[in-house]
Structure formats: C-alpha cells, structure tokens
Amino acid sequence: MSQHPSSSRRQALKFFSTIPMLPLGAGAASTLLSGCGGGGDSATPTTAGGSTTATFVSAAFTSTPAPTATADRATTYTTSQMVVTLSDHSTRSYNLAYEPYFLTGTTVSDGQGGTIVAGGYYDIQNQPIMDTTGSTARQFFSDSPDGTSLLTVANASVSGVTGNAVFAVVQFEYTTYAQDGSTSMYGKLPSPIAVLTLDQNPSTGKLTLVKYHNVDTSGVNGLWITCGASLSPWGTHLSSEEYEPDAWNLPSYWSAFQTNLGSTSVSPYHYGHLPEVTVKADGTATIKKHHCLGRISHELVQVMPDNRTVLMGDDATNGALFLFVADKEKDLSAGTLYVGQLQDTFDTAFLAGTNTVSWKWIKLGSATSAEIKVYIDLLANGTLSKSDIMDVKTSDPSDSTYTKISIGGAKNWIKVVSGMEKAAAFLETHRYAALMGGSMGFTKLEGTTVNIADKVAYSALQNMETSMVSGATAWDSASKIALTSALKAGGVMAHTLGSGQIDTSGNAIDSAWIPSVTKMLLTGEDISADSLGNTANPATVANPDNLKFSEKLRTLFIGEDSGQHTNNFLWAYNVDTKQLSRILSIPAGGESTGLHAVDEINGWTYISSNFQHAGDSSYVRGNTELNAAVNANYNNKFSAAVGYLTGTATSLKLSA
C-alpha cells in the first residue's frame, strides 16, 4: 500500500538523521529529497521486508588523484566521494567540494553594521597593526590561518542568523611576508584569534558567515604563534603557543614582537602556555591562559573523555610526549604534569611496525595556573630572574653539580636552584623534563587526537630526523630514540590507552586514559625529487601535522605540513579497513591546517579545513605558470582560505 507523500518524506528525514550528512551544495537538498515524496514504497527507507529502517554501517572515501594540471595545483582540489553503506546493503554518495568562508585580507561583516579585515592583526590596545612597507599603508593580515573549532552554544542569539547559529573559533599562526614581499614577518606579530558566527541552513547544512569577532587578548598579554587547536569535551576552544621563546636564547624576532604587541614589559615566560577560548551566546568570547600544563611547544592537545586527562604533543627538536591530569573535570586550571619515558628503543624495527614501545610516566609537579602566574609576573617585573630558577650553561662548566641535557638541537648544562623545582617544572619545562629523565628525543611531535571506542590515541611526527637519529648532534642516547637514518617524511603513531599506571615515583596516576604501549600506524616515504617537485612519495602521507578522528566515520583525518609534497594533502584513513584516501589537495606551496572533524551539529557532519602560505616554496616560485596561477587565486600569495568540505548527493538508494 502506498504511503501519503508527507508521511514518506517524514520517514526519509527520520532515516537521514541516523547517518552522516555532509552539508550540501546549492540545489543538492532538493535532489536528495526528490525521491522521498513520490508516494511509492520504493522511496521508503526500509529493508526488503518493509519493517525495519535501514541504519548506518560504515563510510569510506574515494581517493583524489594527486593533481598534475596547473589549474588544479593552484587551488583547493578534490574529486573524492564519501560513500555511506547502510544495513540493507544500499549506499549513498557525496561528491566533495571545498567551501571557504572567506580569504584572509578581505573585509567581512563585524555583525554591528560595519566591516573588519579577516585575519587582521591588533596590538595589546586592540588597535590595528599597520604594514607600512608598501606604497600604501594597510593593516597586517595573516596568510596562515590554523587551528579551528566548530561548536554550538546554548541559547545563542546573533543578529543576522535566520537558521541555526554555529560558531567557528579560528586562530592565525603568523604572516609570512610584509606587503613589500621580502620582509619576513614570522613571529613578529601577536597572533589574532576570531569567533565566526555562521548561519546554518537547517535544510542543507550550509554555513554562511554573518559575523566576525576579533577576540580581545590583551588580558593574557597577547598570543604567541598559535598553531593547532582542539575542541574540549565541554565545548571550549583549546588554542596553542608553539616554539615558546627561550629566555636563555631569545629568538631574533622577540623585540619586534614586543614592539608590534605594544608592550616591552612582557616576559618570554608569558608565552608557551595553553589558551582556552569560551564563546558566548552573542558570538563574542573570553580567553584565559592555563600556566600549569607546561611551557612547551604546544601544538594540538587532546582532552580525553574523562574531562581531565590531556595528551600533548611537543612541536620541538628534543621534544617529548607530555601528559596533564586535571584535579577537577572540565577545569584545566590545576593539576599534575607528567613527561613520558620510553622503556623500549624507538628504532628501525619499531618504524617498520614489527615491534612496539612501552611507556612510564615521570611526575614533574602539581600546580595551579594562578601560582605559576605569580612566578611569571615576578619575572616580568624584574623581582625574579631566570637565574633564580635555574642555572644554564651552554658549554661544559666541568662541575659535577650540573647535568648535561639536549634541548633545541643543542647541549646545555643545567642546575635547578634549591626550592625552585616547581617554577622550573612549569616554566623551564623542556630543561626540567630532560633533567628528570624524560625521553626528550622526538622531532616535531605534533597533533594528537583520540579514538574513544577503541581507547587509542594518535600522534603525528612531522619529521623523524636530527634528535631522533643515533649519533646526530641533537641526539641523546638516554631518550631511547635511535633511528639509524632519518625519515624526513614522518609518520603517525598509535597509543594504547588504559588505567592502573604508576608513575616513576611509585604513585598511582588517577586516569584511565594513559598511553601504555605505542605502535607505528603510518609512515611516509622519502624519494628523490620527481618532476612535480615532490621529495616524498605522493601516494602516501608525508609530514603529518593536524590529526582529528571521527567516531562515527571510524576515520582518522590527517593534514600535512609538508615541504616534501609540493601540494600538501588532507587524507582520510579508515582504522577498520586500513584504507588511506587523499580527499583534498591544498594550493601548491601551502600547508593543510584548521582540521576539525565534527560528527554532528544539528544533524550535519562537518570537516573543517584551512590552508596556509599558498605558493611559498622555491619550486612554485621557479615555475612561472604555477606561480602566476597561485598569485591570481590568492592575492599574490598574501591571502589564504578558511572553510570546510561540503558534499553534493550524487546517488541515493533507500532500499535494497
């Protein structure tokens, strides 16, 4: 018996709510529902017996070929599909497409009747920072958008939203050059962070920007090189400050940063912490820094489902795997900091996947953010000096009270001032962790994410070189990381998580989400340069950076920060089928950033993706045709995109 069209449509919509739904491009919604209102039984989402609604089983992505045509290499490019399989053996497919909210440097709505420069820089008085290197002064804006979180807020109310209010928090890592095209600006500007209010179309899932709000960071002394980011389980944006300025060896751009910030009274110890952004119902936000998670090269942290355990990568040479366990759920302002110590050798056999390595965890200290902030303020006003915390030598003092360590590819000899262990643990974390026996041998240990169902965490190693190679200058045999040769293309590690672990002092660690055993999941492959400029095999991942896991799709998404792939790629790796699919190609010379996989917002599935510094490679600049195409697409390389992957329904079968 035929159903009434509206009844059939309701059943179909109910059915859709059980499966992943990518936001649809223009016209796709009507195509999607056109088979749902015709009144025939064939349109009803049931099994062959007509009694049970088909349910989601799995999803897979088809792979986009690595682009070779200039036009495809000079922009965001995908030919992939997401193919969903249902319990009645039917499938539905989406063609993927990339949809930007904006290009940086363009003017967008500030939600108050005016406009604002997307990715624009501001000083500590919230005044635009101007670039005067060109014929006409203009506000500095970033070509390097990075960490992005998509989220919702209860009772959101923002003028201009006609559908559902969805928010994106976007941070901007740096800008590559001033407008003269030659003055390097890396690290010289305080990183901006913005809240985007997006109008979600309930019928299609499409997101449209209606308001751009620049977050006031003056209360946290501005932000330093914000890179990857993650969404906390309680809905806040967890930012980052990587390459913390070493007070003993300040970077060359430190004074320029102070000048552009508008404050010479800030201390290097103000940076290298974990900022947390809380979005409000009106599309504005507040920000605070947590000073008790270690002052390291924070890249992309992952809070576990217990709302307390934080696994942290460390984007440094002579970096480590760090762990923080908060005292209270959903509150990162107090807790205990640990560093990992390998119990087995990270060697060529481990890299090949033929063995695993196990961990012990060294307690570095317990603290509140407030008490560490007291030390920072004393250091900033000169009441306390860095030498009051730790004595650091860069050459051998021939004194047995000093300990030789490796840090940042160099050797130091260090000694902690008696009574200042806590300050050392949280403000000189790299040096103190090395002193305490942490495995400080990783190179660019970057993004982290978690597969909750399997209790597995993943960490990206962008490169495996320098400090990871036995006998190299930066190498430290105590780290138990000893590759016989470098693998510049890097790889992804998988950590088994569990409870019942004891730290090296014999005390129980109060968490059920602690890495115990690690294996290699994926590795890249170094090659001789090919005709397209690749020095890593384009058929597989190279220099992984951003990682995000989708529980519903059972998919690990991997974004590249690769100087070895001329076009960086975004990959989808199904952890059940082991299928690795290239789903997006980034403009040549750019980096894949801003990755965030969201299983469901008001019934829609999202994959956020940005890119940085399009065209910034010697290969692109030396290729006249490709260089011109990138320049034409992205404002002479000054602009970059913030956006997400959309889908168009290309086939739909609701019954077997």
Side-chain angles (χ1 to χ4, degrees):
M1 179 178 177
S2 297
Q3 292 179 302
H4 189 277
S6 63
S7 174
S8 176
R9 183 182 179 91
R10 283 196 299 271
Q11 282 187 286
L13 290 172
K14 180 179 179 182
F15 160 71
F16 294 153
S17 71
T18 69
I19 64 177
M21 293 274 288
L22 286 177
L24 304 177
S30 59
T31 301
L32 178 66
L33 295 176
S34 62
C36 304
D41 288 333
S42 62
T44 305
T46 60
T47 62
S51 59
T52 306
T53 300
T55 57
F56 169 70
V57 173
S58 65
F61 290 87
T62 64
S63 196
T64 296
T68 56
T70 295
D72 297 334
R73 301 183 73 202
T75 188
T76 48
Y77 173 74
T78 180
T79 62
S80 290
Q81 289 186 334
M82 185 177 85
V83 183
V84 173
T85 299
L86 307 175
S87 59
D88 62 0
H89 308 296
S90 64
T91 61
R92 61 177 303 173
S93 301
Y94 298 95
N95 281 342
L96 299 189
Y98 184 72
E99 180 75 21
Y101 305 126
F102 56 74
L103 295 183
T104 59
T106 58
T107 55
V108 295
S109 171
D110 65 2
Q112 299 175 335
T115 60
I116 188 171
V117 175
Y121 285 90
Y122 296 86
D123 64 20
I124 206 165
Q125 285 80 39
N126 290 305
Q127 295 302 304
I129 303 174
M130 302 305 292
D131 180 353
T132 59
T133 65
S135 56
T136 303
R138 73 181 187 194
Q139 184 179 3
F140 274 111
F141 58 88
S142 177
D143 66 341
S144 296
D146 208 303
T148 299
S149 296
L150 272 178
L151 56 96
T152 57
V153 175
N155 303 314
S157 179
V158 181
S159 177
V161 174
T162 59
N164 301 315
V166 174
F167 301 102
V169 183
V170 182
Q171 56 198 45
F172 300 88
E173 187 177 1
Y174 60 89
T175 197
T176 307
Y177 294 108
Q179 64 172 317
D180 63 7
S182 60
T183 302
S184 172
M185 294 305 299
Y186 181 84
K188 295 178 180 179
L189 298 163
S191 292
I193 193 163
V195 177
L196 315 182
T197 298
L198 306 168
D199 188 357
Q200 183 193 49
N201 185 312
S203 298
T204 67
K206 180 177 173 59
L207 300 173
T208 303
L209 178 68
V210 298
K211 177 181 178 179
Y212 180 110
H213 169 74
N214 187 69
V215 178
D216 179 2
T217 64
S218 60
V220 293
N221 301 104
L223 298 175
W224 174 273
I225 310 180
T226 55
C227 193
S230 62
L231 183 68
S232 73
W234 52 93
T236 58
H237 174 87
L238 301 178
S239 182
S240 58
E241 291 186 304
E242 72 172 5
Y243 310 131
E244 78 285 5
D246 184 355
W248 298 88
N249 183 27
L250 283 169
S252 59
Y253 42 83
W254 170 251
S255 60
F257 172 84
Q258 288 182 303
T259 299
N260 288 313
L261 177 68
S263 173
T264 57
S265 63
V266 292
S267 162
Y269 291 102
H270 278 121
Y271 309 100
H273 303 286
L274 184 73
E276 181 176 17
V277 177
T278 302
V279 178
K280 298 191 289 187
D282 64 354
T284 63
T286 60
I287 187 169
K288 58 186 172 183
K289 283 186 188 179
H290 298 292
H291 303 97
C292 52
L293 284 87
R295 188 170 164 269
I296 60 175
S297 189
H298 287 290
E299 168 73 21
L300 191 164
V301 308
Q302 177 64 53
V303 180
M304 299 301 167
D306 63 355
N307 294 315
R308 295 176 56 245
T309 306
V310 187
L311 187 62
M312 300 180 283
D314 183 23
D315 186 5
T317 299
N318 298 114
L321 193 62
F322 287 90
L323 185 74
F324 178 79
V325 181
D327 291 345
K328 299 177 182 178
E329 288 191 31
K330 303 181 182 181
D331 182 356
L332 302 180
S333 66
T336 302
L337 180 65
Y338 301 87
V339 65
Q341 183 188 67
L342 286 167
Q343 302 303 294
D344 310 288
T345 303
F346 186 121
D347 57 11
T348 303
F350 172 79
L351 207 59
T354 56
N355 66 5
T356 60
V357 294
S358 57
W359 295 90
K360 286 188 177 179
W361 292 90
I362 300 169
K363 179 180 176 179
L364 299 180
S366 298
T368 68
S369 182
E371 63 184 311
I372 302 305
K373 182 62 162 54
V374 170
Y375 287 119
I376 295 171
D377 291 342
L378 292 174
L379 287 159
N381 67 29
T383 303
L384 193 69
S385 74
K386 60 183 185 289
S387 298
D388 293 326
I389 297 172
M390 179 179 283
D391 193 3
V392 176
K393 307 293 186 187
T394 56
S395 59
D396 190 348
S398 300
D399 183 339
S400 61
T401 64
Y402 289 80
T403 299
K404 182 182 180 181
I405 65 164
S406 297
I407 179 170
K411 304 299 181 185
N412 279 184
W413 287 258
I414 66 172
K415 178 168 59 176
V416 177
V417 175
S418 179
M420 298 300 286
E421 289 80 7
K422 181 174 287 191
F426 291 93
L427 294 178
E428 288 287 352
T429 307
H430 277 130
R431 291 184 172 91
Y432 189 75
L435 177 67
M436 296 296 287
S439 290
M440 306 295 292
F442 288 103
T443 302
K444 295 189 74 62
L445 179 57
E446 305 231 19
T448 57
T449 192
V450 64
N451 169 349
I452 297 171
D454 297 340
K455 239 178 171 182
V456 173
Y458 306 100
S459 296
L461 280 165
Q462 185 189 333
N463 308 110
M464 296 184 230
E465 54 184 352
T466 57
S467 60
M468 299 185 71
V469 180
S470 178
T473 301
W475 181 64
D476 184 346
S477 60
S479 71
K480 285 190 171 289
I481 301 171
L483 299 179
T484 55
S485 60
L487 178 59
K488 293 183 179 180
V492 178
M493 300 183 292
H495 313 288
T496 300
L497 306 173
S499 59
Q501 293 211 45
I502 307 297
D503 68 24
T504 53
S505 298
N507 300 310
I509 302 176
D510 183 20
S511 171
W513 297 87
I514 309 298
S516 58
V517 176
T518 296
K519 68 177 182 180
M520 210 68 209
L521 184 73
L522 294 168
T523 55
E525 179 187 356
D526 297 338
I527 61 171
S528 299
D530 65 14
S531 61
L532 297 177
N534 298 305
T535 58
N537 187 348
T540 191
V541 66
N543 311 121
D545 186 340
N546 282 203
L547 299 181
K548 287 293 190 303
F549 187 76
S550 167
E551 295 287 334
K552 194 160 192 174
L553 302 180
R554 298 284 294 163
T555 296
L556 176 66
F557 294 97
I558 305 166
E560 295 182 339
D561 178 5
S562 178
Q564 294 184 263
H565 283 167
T566 302
N567 286 89
N568 277 205
F569 305 125
L570 175 60
W571 300 86
Y573 177 75
N574 187 293
V575 297
D576 297 320
T577 65
K578 316 302 181 189
Q579 178 181 338
L580 179 67
S581 303
R582 183 190 299 104
I583 62 171
L584 183 67
S585 175
I586 300 302
E591 174 189 339
S592 176
T593 63
L595 177 61
H596 187 200
V598 185
D599 283 345
E600 193 274 332
I601 294 181
N602 299 318
W604 297 94
T605 298
Y606 293 93
I607 305 166
S608 292
S609 183
N610 309 332
F611 66 80
Q612 297 184 347
H613 52 72
D616 187 30
S617 79
S618 58
Y619 174 87
V620 175
R621 293 177 189 276
N623 184 316
T624 302
E625 183 182 9
L626 182 57
N627 190 60
V630 171
N631 283 344
N633 288 340
Y634 300 109
N635 187 23
N636 292 314
K637 304 186 185 75
F638 287 113
S639 295
V642 175
Y644 65 105
L645 284 167
T646 65
T648 300
T650 57
S651 64
L652 177 61
K653 186 178 180 183
L654 299 180
S655 60

